[in-house]
Amino acid sequence: MGEEAAVAAGMPFRGPLPYGATGFPRRAAGALPSVAPGEFRAVLHHAARAAGGRLLATTERVHPLTYHHALISDRQGDHTVLGHCHLRWIAFADGVAEVHREEFAAPPSWAAAFGHGGFAVLSRETLRLDLDRAGRDALTPFEWREARYHGTRTLGGAVFNRWD
C-alpha cells in the first residue's frame, strides 16, 4: 500500500510508528513532539459545528495518558473523541474516555472536519489492527515489552495508552 493510499485508508503511517506515537521518548531522538491542547480544542469546535452538534466537554491529557479527550454531541448521540498529544491523530472510542482501553468506534461522517485542522482521523480498522499484524518494526523493543506488560494487543491500544 502506497503512502497516499495508507493515509486515505485512515492509516497516516506505513512501517514503524512515528516518533512519539506511544508516548515514550528515545534518548537519541530528542524531545517528544507535542500537539497543543488549544489546537485540539479549536479543531473540536470546528468538528462540532460540522456535526451540527456541540462540544460538551474536553479534558487535557494528564500523564501517563497519551491523549486528550472530548465529548461531542450530535443528533445521533454522544461521541468520545481522543486526540493524541504528540501526533495530530484523532480516534473515536466507545464509551467514556477515562476508562478507554482498546474500544474504538468507527468515525462519524462529520469526522472529515478534523482534516481541515491538519489532523488525521484513524479508522476503526487501523486502530483494531493486531500488533503482530502491524509488524515487528512498528514498535521499538522497549515499546513491545510495555505492550506485552500492559496486555495491549492492538495498534490503537499501543498508540492511545495510559502506560507509565
Side-chain angles (χ1 to χ4, degrees):
M1 177 182 290
E3 191 70 27
E4 288 178 24
V7 172
M11 189 165 69
F13 55 87
R14 185 167 156 72
L17 289 173
Y19 181 56
T22 63
F24 285 106
R26 297 181 196 141
R27 219 172 302 166
L32 286 167
S34 180
V35 175
E39 290 180 69
F40 179 58
R41 280 191 306 277
V43 77
L44 285 168
H45 284 287
H46 176 72
R49 283 190 300 276
R54 61 192 178 116
L55 178 61
L56 297 178
T58 182
T59 305
E60 285 185 28
R61 163 243 193 204
V62 177
H63 183 76
L65 296 177
T66 60
Y67 55 90
H68 311 290
H69 56 88
L71 195 60
I72 292 180
S73 182
D74 68 6
R75 282 175 247 126
Q76 277 72 48
D78 295 342
H79 306 272
T80 300
V81 182
L82 308 179
H84 202 278
C85 65
H86 301 296
L87 303 170
R88 299 173 73 78
W89 289 352
I90 298 292
F92 287 83
D94 290 331
V96 181
E98 290 87 1
V99 296
H100 162 72
R101 187 148 166 86
E102 294 187 2
E103 304 82 18
F104 295 100
S109 59
W110 48 263
F114 287 102
H116 299 158
F119 286 77
V121 177
L122 301 177
S123 71
R124 184 179 193 184
E125 295 73 27
T126 295
L127 293 163
R128 296 176 107 191
L129 185 65
D130 186 86
L131 273 177
D132 291 330
R133 287 198 52 224
R136 294 302 298 171
D137 64 344
L139 302 175
T140 66
F142 176 77
E143 291 166 332
W144 275 105
R145 282 191 301 277
E146 286 295 309
R148 281 193 304 272
Y149 177 78
H150 291 281
T152 301
R153 299 174 186 264
T154 66
L155 189 61
V159 170
F160 292 93
N161 70 64
R162 57 177 67 231
W163 303 342
D164 196 9

